[in-house]
Amino acid sequence: MKRYLLFYFLCFSNFISLAQEIPTSITDSITYPKNTYKKFIDVDNLGNYYFSNFEVITKTDGNRNWAFANYELGIPYSVSVINPLQILVFYKETNTVILLDRFLNETQRINLNQINPLKTAWWAENTKNQEIWIYDGENNRLEFYNYQQNITLSQTIPFLETPIDLSSNFNNAFVLFDDSINKYNIQGTLLKSLDLNKKAFSKIKATKSYLIGKSKNKFKLYTTNLNLVGSLKILKNDNLGFSLKNEKLYIYDGAKLFIYKLTLPSKLN
């Protein structure tokens, strides 16, 4: 009897495991001259691709290229393209945020060293209107900051540990810690905390509907309510950047940008 119970348990466990794996298939790949781009940044909702090569950020639609670089500020730490009409470039070493238009022309510069009170940003992410998310490394907290009025609209309580990564969509910020992901609204309120295995992810990326976590070549997909959708089995090397957009996963290996179509469950929350 125990053998039968064990057999049924293993079968049920395997079924659950398989049910949680999201089917994927490569639908396309784009080849670039090797070493043209050192890193893939993202794809925006208009289908433009963003890459970086040290100080230079490039936007391409496949036929036309636009480029931006500021050698004085150095190598960008992060680039946020959730609003393709107002692209945010964050320079961690110089504590500066640059805003670009859709042609990658600089429209505004926010030197966080020169505002009062001074902010020491370790991360910066775009949102909407005239606000951005800033992780204040000195006070170990997340701030929702209006750069036009120089006002901190809200802030979280100080974290108990140092975050590993930060990502945002227009409504929420997601903070990755060593063994959890926290979701915050623009009032700085903790909406939900998802417990993880220790060092489960090294990076997260949020979209309008989903949050994806990455560890080496392993990915897990969640709804923005931090409910698990499933895991992704991807064979390609993603060390040079990945993005999730419109149920497609983009992975860059230094010479090709691979595009995977995800077959997701019809009902998610």
Side-chain angles (χ1 to χ4, degrees):
M1 184 65 179
K2 290 183 178 180
R3 290 182 180 180
Y4 287 113
L5 289 174
L6 177 61
F7 174 77
Y8 286 124
F9 173 77
L10 291 174
C11 289
F12 180 77
S13 299
N14 288 335
F15 173 77
I16 293 297
S17 176
L18 290 173
Q20 290 183 343
E21 186 171 300
I22 299 171
T24 62
S25 58
I26 295 180
T27 60
D28 199 1
S29 64
I30 305 172
T31 302
Y32 299 95
K34 193 173 183 179
N35 297 324
T36 300
Y37 305 119
K38 297 295 183 184
K39 183 180 179 182
F40 171 59
I41 297 171
D42 211 340
V43 53
D44 66 24
N45 54 21
L46 301 176
N48 300 299
Y49 302 116
Y50 297 78
F51 295 88
S52 66
N53 190 1
F54 298 107
E55 293 89 352
V56 181
I57 299 168
T58 300
K59 169 184 173 180
T60 177
D61 64 3
N63 297 311
R64 298 168 295 175
N65 292 346
W66 298 266
F68 172 81
N70 189 305
Y71 294 95
E72 179 185 359
L73 295 177
I75 298 175
Y77 184 77
S78 64
V79 181
S80 175
V81 302
I82 62 173
N83 180 356
L85 304 180
Q86 181 179 274
I87 300 157
L88 182 149
V89 185
F90 173 54
Y91 295 88
K92 184 176 180 180
E93 291 185 1
T94 50
N95 203 28
T96 301
V97 172
I98 299 288
L99 298 176
L100 309 177
D101 65 16
R102 63 192 182 98
F103 301 111
L104 300 196
N105 297 312
E106 181 177 335
T107 59
Q108 187 162 353
R109 182 176 302 198
I110 308 163
N111 188 334
L112 299 173
N113 300 298
Q114 297 178 354
I115 65 175
N116 186 24
L118 180 147
K119 296 182 182 297
T120 303
W122 288 14
W123 277 287
E125 287 284 324
N126 209 358
T127 57
K128 53 187 174 182
N129 302 325
Q130 302 169 348
E131 289 86 34
I132 58 177
W133 290 103
I134 291 177
Y135 169 65
D136 182 349
E138 291 294 325
N139 296 298
N140 197 25
R141 67 189 181 197
L142 191 63
E143 298 184 357
F144 191 62
Y145 174 65
N146 185 300
Y147 53 83
Q148 295 288 30
Q149 301 180 41
N150 188 26
I151 297 174
T152 298
L153 300 175
S154 65
Q155 59 192 30
T156 66
I157 62 173
F159 302 137
L160 298 178
E161 57 182 304
T162 302
I164 296 173
D165 197 19
L166 167 68
S167 188
S168 68
N169 54 28
F170 282 130
N171 299 309
N172 303 106
F174 300 86
V175 183
L176 173 66
F177 296 99
D178 189 54
D179 57 1
S180 64
I181 298 174
N182 285 0
K183 175 184 177 180
Y184 297 91
N185 62 17
I186 59 176
Q187 284 78 40
T189 303
L190 175 62
L191 299 179
K192 189 171 183 179
S193 183
L194 172 68
D195 291 333
L196 302 170
N197 294 328
K198 195 174 182 65
K199 299 185 185 302
F201 302 127
S202 59
K203 191 168 184 61
I204 57 174
K205 277 197 176 184
T207 68
K208 179 181 178 181
S209 303
Y210 300 103
L211 178 81
I212 189 168
K214 177 193 78 87
S215 177
K216 296 182 179 179
N217 286 346
K218 297 179 180 179
F219 295 86
K220 281 192 176 181
L221 186 68
Y222 300 85
T223 66
T224 51
N225 288 327
L226 299 182
N227 296 321
L228 179 64
V229 179
S231 59
L232 307 176
K233 187 176 181 180
I234 304 293
L235 300 178
K236 299 299 179 183
N237 189 326
D238 67 317
N239 290 334
L240 300 178
F242 74 97
S243 176
L244 179 70
K245 192 74 64 177
N246 297 327
E247 300 184 4
K248 292 182 179 179
L249 180 66
Y250 300 78
I251 296 178
Y252 182 59
D253 71 353
K256 285 187 177 183
L257 182 66
F258 296 92
I259 305 173
Y260 289 82
K261 174 65 177 177
L262 311 184
T263 303
L264 300 178
S266 57
K267 292 184 179 181
L268 297 170
N269 55 32

